[in-house]
């Protein structure tokens, strides 16, 4: 079994290369709204608490959070998605602008811009309200979307497909990407954050990044043990014919299938875990950005694993600054990366 030893200084030097690297991100974008307040009394109208809201925060979620993670790391994300044409789409654009994310949308009249509202009182989530429409994007809207992807990805060697199952990613969309690359004569590395029901759509991509549950569902096999993860990964190679596969394993870190028969395990570096929300977004954003910057695949995953270890220690869907990444590399115990096969 061949192991790989991390050279902290060399890895740290790679962080500097992330600055200015470009990644096109396409997928489902949403607004995460947090209404935070106090619950002092029961409503006279119904047996429910009345929340007096003192704070109304808006964060960008889904593919938008992936783009935000790239921006925070110093990269240049080019985000492409769909939204509605009402006031919420203006809010979405404003939130993205404030994050420094360059975004292009196909505005679809009458389609709601996806909004997930959480009502929180006394640190407790009381209610979540979703406004969304998940019908597949087709026809002229799909043609417009692909045109935007073509423009946004023209100078990108890496493209992320962030599939949250809200209608962007369909058979027609994935076929449309193939046609784009064929016309262009160059094929960017396409990384996919998968949604289980769409697994069959990701054939021939560069690298899907499923978590353990998605790996299990995509392979129709269990992923409880190392042997099971290896078997499930092999099954995914057989069906998708992907180039590589990155399976994130929550507290167990990640398994990088460089090939079906060449698998690395990278244990987590997280010291404290507060909130794992968005860790998957951080992983795909960091790997993609590092690859775009010319970092090799295994080192890119090691960087992503450090970045994920940082965000799980923070509250909410967080993102990582280059200095935080360098500090983690310099101060945390070096993860023991070993070959599983
Ligand atoms: N409980 C945990 N302890 C330590 N590290 C964790 C934990 N959960 C996640 N991580 C880190 O975050 C990475 C991604 O997490 P995970 O496998 O849960 O992805 P995910 O389910 O796609 O996340 P999400 O969908 O919430 O964004 C892991 O590879 C690991 O590095
Ligand atoms: Mg995920």
């Amino acid at each position: 079994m061949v192991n790989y030893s991390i050279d902290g200084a060399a890895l740290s030097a790679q962080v500097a290369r992330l600055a200015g690297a470009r990644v096109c991100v396409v997928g489902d974008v949403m607004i995460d709204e947090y209404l935070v307040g106090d619950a002092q009394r029961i409503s006279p109208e119904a047996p429910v608490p009345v929340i007096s809201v003192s704070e109304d925060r808006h964060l960008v979620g889904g593919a938008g959070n992936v783009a935000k993670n790239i921006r925070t790391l110093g990269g240049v994300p080019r985000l492409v998605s769909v939204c509605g044409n009402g006031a919420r789409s203006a809010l979405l654009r404003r939130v993205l602008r404030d994050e420094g994310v360059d975004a292009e949308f196909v505005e679809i009249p009458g389609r709601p811009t996806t909004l997930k509202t959480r009502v929180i009182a006394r640190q407790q989530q009381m209610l979540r309200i979703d406004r969304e429409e998940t019908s597949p994007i087709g026809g002229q809207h799909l043609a417009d979307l692909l045109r935007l992807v073509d423009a946004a990805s023209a100078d990108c060697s890496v493209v992320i497909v962030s599939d949250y199952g809200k209608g962007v990613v369909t058979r027609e969309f994935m076929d449309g990407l193939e046609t784009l690359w064929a016309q262009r004569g160059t094929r960017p590395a396409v990384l996919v954050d998968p949604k289980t029901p769409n697994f069959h759509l990701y054939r021939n991509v560069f690298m899907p990044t499923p978590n353990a549950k998605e790996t299990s569902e995509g392979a129709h096999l269990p992923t409880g043990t190392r042997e099971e993860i290896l078997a499930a990964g092999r099954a995914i190679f057989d069906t998708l014919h992907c180039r590589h596969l990155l399976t994130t394993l929550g507290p167990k870190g990640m398994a990088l299938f460089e090939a079906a028969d060449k698998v690395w395990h990278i244990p987590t570096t997280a010291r404290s875990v507060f909130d794992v929300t968005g860790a998957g977004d951080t992983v795909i954003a960091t790997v993609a950005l590092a690859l775009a910057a010319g970092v090799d695949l295994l080192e890119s995953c090691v960087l992503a694993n450090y970045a994920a270890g940082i965000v799980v220690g923070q509250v909410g869907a967080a993102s990582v600054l280059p200095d935080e990444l360098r500090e983690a590399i310099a101060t945390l115990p070096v993860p023991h990366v070993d070959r599983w096969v």
Side-chain angles (χ1 to χ4, degrees):
M1 209 65 74
V2 189
N3 285 340
Y4 163 86
S5 54
I6 293 173
D7 175 346
L11 196 62
S12 200
Q14 301 289 34
V15 177
R17 298 173 70 178
L18 307 182
R22 297 176 302 271
V23 177
C24 177
V25 183
V26 54
D28 304 294
V29 171
M30 55 205 78
I31 307 171
D32 287 311
E33 177 177 53
Y34 295 85
L35 299 178
V36 185
D38 200 8
Q40 294 281 16
R41 63 193 180 98
I42 298 297
S43 170
E45 298 161 20
V48 294
V50 175
I51 314 289
S52 173
V53 173
S54 54
E55 190 188 338
D56 188 350
R57 269 188 304 137
H58 297 100
L59 300 173
V60 64
N65 186 48
V66 176
K68 175 183 164 179
N69 268 269
I70 289 169
R71 184 72 207 107
T72 307
L73 279 166
V76 179
R78 303 257 168 75
L79 177 63
V80 176
S81 189
V82 301
C83 65
N85 65 339
R88 282 211 300 275
S89 69
L91 172 64
L92 175 64
R93 288 174 192 275
R94 191 166 69 241
V95 174
L96 284 164
R97 198 169 46 243
D98 290 349
E99 297 287 0
V101 172
D102 173 15
E104 297 282 348
F105 293 97
V106 177
E107 277 199 6
I108 304 180
R111 188 178 175 102
T113 299
T114 305
L115 176 67
K116 312 219 159 230
T117 303
R118 283 95 171 170
V119 180
I120 297 163
R122 301 182 179 179
Q123 337 291 342
Q124 176 90 36
Q125 188 174 142
M126 314 286 284
L127 186 66
R128 189 172 116 184
I129 305 159
D130 285 3
R131 274 157 299 177
E132 64 182 26
E133 187 185 316
T134 60
S135 60
I137 305 295
Q140 189 56 47
H141 298 312
L142 175 60
D144 292 346
L145 182 68
L146 289 165
R147 216 177 353 263
L148 291 180
V149 175
D150 191 18
S153 65
D155 57 356
C156 295
S157 60
V158 180
V159 173
I160 294 174
V161 174
S162 177
D163 188 359
Y164 275 79
K166 308 294 182 203
V168 165
V169 181
T170 59
R171 158 81 59 218
E172 292 70 28
F173 172 78
M174 295 304 288
D175 288 349
L177 290 186
E178 281 302 319
T179 308
L180 272 188
W181 317 145
Q183 283 166 355
R184 195 180 285 179
T186 56
R187 166 182 291 273
V190 177
L191 279 66
V192 183
D193 194 351
K195 189 81 186 166
T196 297
N198 287 343
F199 233 91
H200 61 286
L201 301 181
Y202 315 129
R203 287 174 65 88
N204 302 316
V205 302
F206 182 79
M207 186 166 79
T209 64
N211 63 20
K213 183 162 178 276
E214 291 152 351
T215 303
S216 170
E217 291 165 347
H220 306 288
L221 289 169
T223 50
T225 65
R226 163 178 161 162
E227 286 311 316
E228 288 172 348
I229 293 163
L230 289 170
R234 278 186 214 110
I236 289 175
F237 271 91
D238 286 346
T239 50
L240 294 188
H241 305 285
C242 46
R243 180 92 74 86
H244 312 289
L245 171 69
L246 180 63
T247 293
T248 63
L249 305 171
K252 291 190 222 153
M254 50 178 68
L256 167 64
F257 292 72
E258 249 191 271
D261 58 358
K262 187 176 183 191
V263 185
W264 302 93
H265 175 246
I266 310 168
T268 182
T269 57
R271 283 166 305 176
S272 53
V273 179
F274 281 115
D275 188 345
V276 298
T277 311
D281 291 344
T282 300
V283 168
I284 196 166
T286 311
V287 177
L289 182 61
L291 289 171
V295 179
D296 84 30
L297 180 63
L298 178 56
E299 266 192 318
S300 296
C301 293
V302 170
L303 282 175
N305 190 63
Y306 270 109
I310 295 169
V311 295
V312 298
Q314 300 174 352
V315 178
S319 51
V320 177
L321 291 162
D323 277 346
E324 293 175 301
L325 197 51
R326 270 190 283 262
E327 192 196 311
I329 295 165
T331 60
L332 295 178
V334 176
H336 183 78
V337 176
D338 66 352
R339 270 289 283 277
W340 270 359
V341 276

